[in-house]
Amino acid sequence: MALHNKVTLASTPVLLALMWQLRNEPLAVCTCGSILAGLATWCLVPAAENTFKRVGLSGKDMSKPTHPMLAESMGVVAATIYLIATFLFIPVQFRSWWPAQDPHSPHNPRVFSFDRLGEYLSALLSLQSMVFLGFADDVFDLRWRFKLLLPTIASIPILIVYYVGYGVTHVVVPVFMRPLLGTHIVDLGTLYY
């Protein structure tokens, strides 16, 4: 068994126990979850290498004198683990809005923050779109016109949530440019989007 597998197997129960112990602290849970995701990536990237080579996602390493064959598109493994970790963090982030144990208890007066959940999910949707673009580019060798168009489309969920939630279209001018423009705020209007 490789060293990275041994380290991951040994540290996973400790991190899970720590996450359970600190379950009321979102930052601590996120930190432990990030370490677990990093360990999973450390194990799964080498494990997936032969599979990617077998299906033809490989290329020669031209910077080495022997030109060994390397797996390509391995970023999709790390990106998938990252997305899974962020999906699993959703209940932790919104734990303070869970109802109390007694459904009739008046001790939980908070109203669920749907706008915050919408912001989080729109960011995840944009991230998923960009992971798809990266993988599609590796597999299909996309032309530059698509590489420029698809990120613009992928940013639409974040822009819509921002427009509906805040609607602010002005930017703060950097200090060194304020004397040139004569103002410290510039309203971009629809150019902001």
Side-chain angles (χ1 to χ4, degrees):
M1 181 179 278
L3 173 66
H4 55 273
N5 289 339
K6 290 178 183 176
V7 170
T8 302
L9 284 175
S11 59
T12 299
V14 174
L15 287 168
L16 289 173
L18 189 61
M19 284 174 72
W20 179 255
Q21 197 70 17
L22 300 170
R23 64 186 175 273
N24 293 327
E25 299 294 331
L27 184 60
V29 172
C30 183
T31 302
C32 291
S34 298
I35 294 170
L36 280 172
L39 290 170
T41 304
W42 192 32
C43 287
L44 290 177
V45 165
E49 183 178 7
N50 290 332
T51 304
F52 278 63
K53 286 180 182 178
R54 189 175 60 244
V55 297
L57 292 173
S58 60
K60 290 182 181 179
D61 186 355
M62 300 306 287
S63 64
K64 302 249 175 24
T66 59
H67 302 297
M69 291 297 284
L70 297 177
E72 293 179 348
S73 303
M74 295 302 288
V76 77
V77 175
T80 302
I81 293 169
Y82 174 75
L83 287 170
I84 290 169
T86 53
F87 290 150
L88 294 175
F89 185 65
I90 292 172
V92 174
Q93 184 179 7
F94 295 99
R95 189 174 202 286
S96 62
W97 282 282
W98 287 3
Q101 295 292 358
D102 180 13
H104 303 291
S105 173
H107 300 296
N108 193 9
R110 291 186 179 187
V111 176
F112 187 76
S113 179
F114 288 103
D115 55 341
R116 190 169 163 197
L117 178 63
E119 292 170 6
Y120 193 83
L121 293 178
S122 68
L124 284 177
L125 181 59
S126 293
L127 281 169
Q128 281 182 316
S129 301
M130 293 315 301
V131 168
F132 173 72
L133 171 66
F135 185 70
D137 182 38
D138 287 341
V139 173
F140 299 121
D141 195 25
L142 297 176
R143 295 179 183 241
W144 271 102
R145 63 178 170 237
F146 299 120
K147 291 180 190 178
L148 294 174
L149 177 67
L150 292 175
T152 305
I153 294 170
S155 67
I156 290 174
I158 292 176
L159 292 174
I160 294 296
V161 167
Y162 182 78
Y163 176 74
V164 170
Y166 304 105
V168 178
T169 58
H170 62 266
V171 293
V172 177
V173 177
V175 176
F176 69 90
M177 291 189 66
R178 289 179 186 171
L180 296 172
L181 296 174
T183 183
H184 68 284
I185 293 178
V186 175
D187 189 10
L188 299 175
T190 56
L191 291 176
Y192 184 87
Y193 300 103

PDB file of all heavy atoms in Angstrom, residues 92-105:
ATOM      1  N   VAL A  92     -23.751  22.223   6.971  1.00  0.00           N
ATOM      2  CA  VAL A  92     -22.972  22.798   8.071  1.00  0.00           C
ATOM      3  C   VAL A  92     -23.108  24.312   8.067  1.00  0.00           C
ATOM      4  O   VAL A  92     -23.300  24.936   9.112  1.00  0.00           O
ATOM      5  CB  VAL A  92     -21.482  22.387   7.953  1.00  0.00           C
ATOM      6  CG1 VAL A  92     -20.636  23.080   8.998  1.00  0.00           C
ATOM      7  CG2 VAL A  92     -21.342  20.889   8.044  1.00  0.00           C
ATOM      8  N   GLN A  93     -23.038  24.900   6.902  1.00  0.00           N
ATOM      9  CA  GLN A  93     -23.111  26.352   6.799  1.00  0.00           C
ATOM     10  C   GLN A  93     -24.475  26.888   7.246  1.00  0.00           C
ATOM     11  O   GLN A  93     -24.555  27.964   7.834  1.00  0.00           O
ATOM     12  CB  GLN A  93     -22.831  26.785   5.362  1.00  0.00           C
ATOM     13  CG  GLN A  93     -22.800  28.274   5.195  1.00  0.00           C
ATOM     14  CD  GLN A  93     -22.501  28.681   3.778  1.00  0.00           C
ATOM     15  OE1 GLN A  93     -22.429  27.861   2.878  1.00  0.00           O
ATOM     16  NE2 GLN A  93     -22.324  29.962   3.560  1.00  0.00           N
ATOM     17  N   PHE A  94     -25.520  26.130   6.996  1.00  0.00           N
ATOM     18  CA  PHE A  94     -26.859  26.594   7.324  1.00  0.00           C
ATOM     19  C   PHE A  94     -27.420  25.890   8.566  1.00  0.00           C
ATOM     20  O   PHE A  94     -28.627  25.871   8.776  1.00  0.00           O
ATOM     21  CB  PHE A  94     -27.786  26.391   6.125  1.00  0.00           C
ATOM     22  CG  PHE A  94     -27.388  27.234   4.955  1.00  0.00           C
ATOM     23  CD1 PHE A  94     -26.646  26.707   3.914  1.00  0.00           C
ATOM     24  CD2 PHE A  94     -27.718  28.572   4.913  1.00  0.00           C
ATOM     25  CE1 PHE A  94     -26.255  27.482   2.848  1.00  0.00           C
ATOM     26  CE2 PHE A  94     -27.337  29.364   3.857  1.00  0.00           C
ATOM     27  CZ  PHE A  94     -26.602  28.822   2.816  1.00  0.00           C
ATOM     28  N   ARG A  95     -26.560  25.337   9.392  1.00  0.00           N
ATOM     29  CA  ARG A  95     -26.992  24.596  10.575  1.00  0.00           C
ATOM     30  C   ARG A  95     -27.734  25.473  11.580  1.00  0.00           C
ATOM     31  O   ARG A  95     -28.632  25.021  12.272  1.00  0.00           O
ATOM     32  CB  ARG A  95     -25.774  23.957  11.252  1.00  0.00           C
ATOM     33  CG  ARG A  95     -26.135  23.011  12.356  1.00  0.00           C
ATOM     34  CD  ARG A  95     -24.868  22.336  12.859  1.00  0.00           C
ATOM     35  NE  ARG A  95     -25.052  21.100  13.527  1.00  0.00           N
ATOM     36  CZ  ARG A  95     -25.544  20.942  14.755  1.00  0.00           C
ATOM     37  NH1 ARG A  95     -25.903  21.911  15.406  1.00  0.00           N
ATOM     38  NH2 ARG A  95     -25.677  19.783  15.315  1.00  0.00           N
ATOM     39  N   SER A  96     -27.368  26.734  11.662  1.00  0.00           N
ATOM     40  CA  SER A  96     -28.016  27.603  12.640  1.00  0.00           C
ATOM     41  C   SER A  96     -29.485  27.863  12.308  1.00  0.00           C
ATOM     42  O   SER A  96     -30.232  28.332  13.163  1.00  0.00           O
ATOM     43  CB  SER A  96     -27.269  28.932  12.750  1.00  0.00           C
ATOM     44  OG  SER A  96     -27.289  29.610  11.510  1.00  0.00           O
ATOM     45  N   TRP A  97     -29.907  27.540  11.098  1.00  0.00           N
ATOM     46  CA  TRP A  97     -31.312  27.728  10.731  1.00  0.00           C
ATOM     47  C   TRP A  97     -32.130  26.455  10.863  1.00  0.00           C
ATOM     48  O   TRP A  97     -33.306  26.448  10.550  1.00  0.00           O
ATOM     49  CB  TRP A  97     -31.414  28.251   9.290  1.00  0.00           C
ATOM     50  CG  TRP A  97     -31.128  29.702   9.204  1.00  0.00           C
ATOM     51  CD1 TRP A  97     -31.969  30.722   9.539  1.00  0.00           C
ATOM     52  CD2 TRP A  97     -29.928  30.311   8.762  1.00  0.00           C
ATOM     53  NE1 TRP A  97     -31.361  31.923   9.324  1.00  0.00           N
ATOM     54  CE2 TRP A  97     -30.101  31.701   8.848  1.00  0.00           C
ATOM     55  CE3 TRP A  97     -28.711  29.827   8.302  1.00  0.00           C
ATOM     56  CZ2 TRP A  97     -29.118  32.606   8.487  1.00  0.00           C
ATOM     57  CZ3 TRP A  97     -27.734  30.719   7.945  1.00  0.00           C
ATOM     58  CH2 TRP A  97     -27.940  32.091   8.045  1.00  0.00           C
ATOM     59  N   TRP A  98     -31.510  25.366  11.296  1.00  0.00           N
ATOM     60  CA  TRP A  98     -32.269  24.136  11.482  1.00  0.00           C
ATOM     61  C   TRP A  98     -33.263  24.322  12.608  1.00  0.00           C
ATOM     62  O   TRP A  98     -32.983  24.995  13.598  1.00  0.00           O
ATOM     63  CB  TRP A  98     -31.339  22.979  11.825  1.00  0.00           C
ATOM     64  CG  TRP A  98     -30.524  22.500  10.681  1.00  0.00           C
ATOM     65  CD1 TRP A  98     -30.484  23.008   9.419  1.00  0.00           C
ATOM     66  CD2 TRP A  98     -29.608  21.414  10.698  1.00  0.00           C
ATOM     67  NE1 TRP A  98     -29.598  22.308   8.648  1.00  0.00           N
ATOM     68  CE2 TRP A  98     -29.048  21.325   9.402  1.00  0.00           C
ATOM     69  CE3 TRP A  98     -29.211  20.506  11.664  1.00  0.00           C
ATOM     70  CZ2 TRP A  98     -28.124  20.368   9.061  1.00  0.00           C
ATOM     71  CZ3 TRP A  98     -28.271  19.554  11.306  1.00  0.00           C
ATOM     72  CH2 TRP A  98     -27.751  19.486  10.028  1.00  0.00           C
ATOM     73  N   PRO A  99     -34.429  23.696  12.487  1.00  0.00           N
ATOM     74  CA  PRO A  99     -35.397  23.826  13.579  1.00  0.00           C
ATOM     75  C   PRO A  99     -34.893  23.134  14.848  1.00  0.00           C
ATOM     76  O   PRO A  99     -34.065  22.232  14.803  1.00  0.00           O
ATOM     77  CB  PRO A  99     -36.651  23.131  13.042  1.00  0.00           C
ATOM     78  CG  PRO A  99     -36.185  22.292  11.916  1.00  0.00           C
ATOM     79  CD  PRO A  99     -34.926  22.890  11.382  1.00  0.00           C
ATOM     80  N   ALA A 100     -35.402  23.595  15.965  1.00  0.00           N
ATOM     81  CA  ALA A 100     -35.027  22.999  17.248  1.00  0.00           C
ATOM     82  C   ALA A 100     -35.549  21.560  17.315  1.00  0.00           C
ATOM     83  O   ALA A 100     -36.378  21.141  16.516  1.00  0.00           O
ATOM     84  CB  ALA A 100     -35.595  23.829  18.391  1.00  0.00           C
ATOM     85  N   GLN A 101     -35.056  20.804  18.275  1.00  0.00           N
ATOM     86  CA  GLN A 101     -35.485  19.412  18.423  1.00  0.00           C
ATOM     87  C   GLN A 101     -36.999  19.317  18.602  1.00  0.00           C
ATOM     88  O   GLN A 101     -37.643  18.457  18.048  1.00  0.00           O
ATOM     89  CB  GLN A 101     -34.774  18.772  19.624  1.00  0.00           C
ATOM     90  CG  GLN A 101     -33.278  18.659  19.449  1.00  0.00           C
ATOM     91  CD  GLN A 101     -32.895  17.658  18.374  1.00  0.00           C
ATOM     92  OE1 GLN A 101     -33.717  17.003  17.759  1.00  0.00           O
ATOM     93  NE2 GLN A 101     -31.606  17.548  18.111  1.00  0.00           N
ATOM     94  N   ASP A 102     -37.560  20.211  19.381  1.00  0.00           N
ATOM     95  CA  ASP A 102     -39.004  20.244  19.590  1.00  0.00           C
ATOM     96  C   ASP A 102     -39.613  21.158  18.527  1.00  0.00           C
ATOM     97  O   ASP A 102     -39.354  22.360  18.515  1.00  0.00           O
ATOM     98  CB  ASP A 102     -39.322  20.775  20.997  1.00  0.00           C
ATOM     99  CG  ASP A 102     -40.812  20.836  21.263  1.00  0.00           C
ATOM    100  OD1 ASP A 102     -41.582  20.239  20.477  1.00  0.00           O
ATOM    101  OD2 ASP A 102     -41.200  21.477  22.248  1.00  0.00           O
ATOM    102  N   PRO A 103     -40.423  20.629  17.603  1.00  0.00           N
ATOM    103  CA  PRO A 103     -40.971  21.473  16.536  1.00  0.00           C
ATOM    104  C   PRO A 103     -41.874  22.584  17.049  1.00  0.00           C
ATOM    105  O   PRO A 103     -42.084  23.570  16.359  1.00  0.00           O
ATOM    106  CB  PRO A 103     -41.734  20.497  15.641  1.00  0.00           C
ATOM    107  CG  PRO A 103     -41.879  19.244  16.412  1.00  0.00           C
ATOM    108  CD  PRO A 103     -40.849  19.246  17.496  1.00  0.00           C
ATOM    109  N   HIS A 104     -42.397  22.463  18.253  1.00  0.00           N
ATOM    110  CA  HIS A 104     -43.275  23.487  18.814  1.00  0.00           C
ATOM    111  C   HIS A 104     -42.525  24.473  19.689  1.00  0.00           C
ATOM    112  O   HIS A 104     -43.123  25.337  20.314  1.00  0.00           O
ATOM    113  CB  HIS A 104     -44.402  22.828  19.612  1.00  0.00           C
ATOM    114  CG  HIS A 104     -45.201  21.868  18.787  1.00  0.00           C
ATOM    115  ND1 HIS A 104     -46.019  22.278  17.765  1.00  0.00           N
ATOM    116  CD2 HIS A 104     -45.286  20.517  18.820  1.00  0.00           C
ATOM    117  CE1 HIS A 104     -46.586  21.220  17.211  1.00  0.00           C
ATOM    118  NE2 HIS A 104     -46.151  20.134  17.829  1.00  0.00           N
ATOM    119  N   SER A 105     -41.211  24.338  19.744  1.00  0.00           N
ATOM    120  CA  SER A 105     -40.403  25.206  20.604  1.00  0.00           C
ATOM    121  C   SER A 105     -40.312  26.611  20.018  1.00  0.00           C
ATOM    122  O   SER A 105     -40.054  26.783  18.836  1.00  0.00           O
ATOM    123  CB  SER A 105     -38.997  24.619  20.751  1.00  0.00           C
ATOM    124  OG  SER A 105     -38.180  25.520  21.435  1.00  0.00           O
TER     125      SER A 105
END
